[in-house]
């Protein structure tokens, strides 16, 4: 099934972004790992719920606003998780 590889790919992407962050700022942060993992979970949910949500029928502005809100929410969770680990 595609769920495991999808989540793993997003998690690894977060770790790689974190490694770049370590090189730039000198400390490990969980922000990117949480953010990318959250985006992976949202991707999986979106694919699974696609027959119900049918986003292709939504007005483009609504679709854009929902997707932008989910990305912003993912970053907010990442920032909050990072503050908890400092």
């Amino acid at each position: 099934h595609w769920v495991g590889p999808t989540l793993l790919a997003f998690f690894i992407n977060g770790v790689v972004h974190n490694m770049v962050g370590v090189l730039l700022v000198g400390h490990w942060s969980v922000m990117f790992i949480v953010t990318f993992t959250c985006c992976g979970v949202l991707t999986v949910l979106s694919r699974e719920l696609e027959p119900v949500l049918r986003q292709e029928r939504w007005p483009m502005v609504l679709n854009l606003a929902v997707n932008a809100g989910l990305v912003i929410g993912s970053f907010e969770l990442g920032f909050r998780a990072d503050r908890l680990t400092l």
Side-chain angles (χ1 to χ4, degrees):
H1 205 274
W2 58 270
V3 172
T6 299
L7 292 176
L8 183 61
F10 276 94
F11 176 80
I12 289 171
N13 200 342
V15 171
V16 170
H17 275 77
N18 243 5
M19 293 165 110
V20 172
V22 168
L23 292 174
L24 294 175
V25 297
H27 69 83
W28 184 259
S29 164
V30 297
M31 191 267 298
F32 285 116
I33 295 172
V34 171
T35 299
F36 278 92
T37 302
C38 187
C39 287
V41 169
L42 291 171
T43 298
V44 168
L45 289 175
S46 175
R47 285 184 188 170
E48 290 295 320
L49 294 174
E50 195 248 328
V52 176
L53 294 176
R54 300 178 66 159
Q55 284 181 280
E56 73 277 358
R57 292 186 168 196
W58 297 9
M60 186 173 34
V61 172
L62 176 61
N63 205 346
L64 177 68
V66 168
N67 286 318
L70 292 171
V71 169
I72 291 168
S74 295
F75 271 98
E76 179 60 26
L77 282 174
F79 287 128
R80 287 176 186 247
D82 202 45
R83 283 194 290 268
L84 291 174
T85 62
L86 292 178

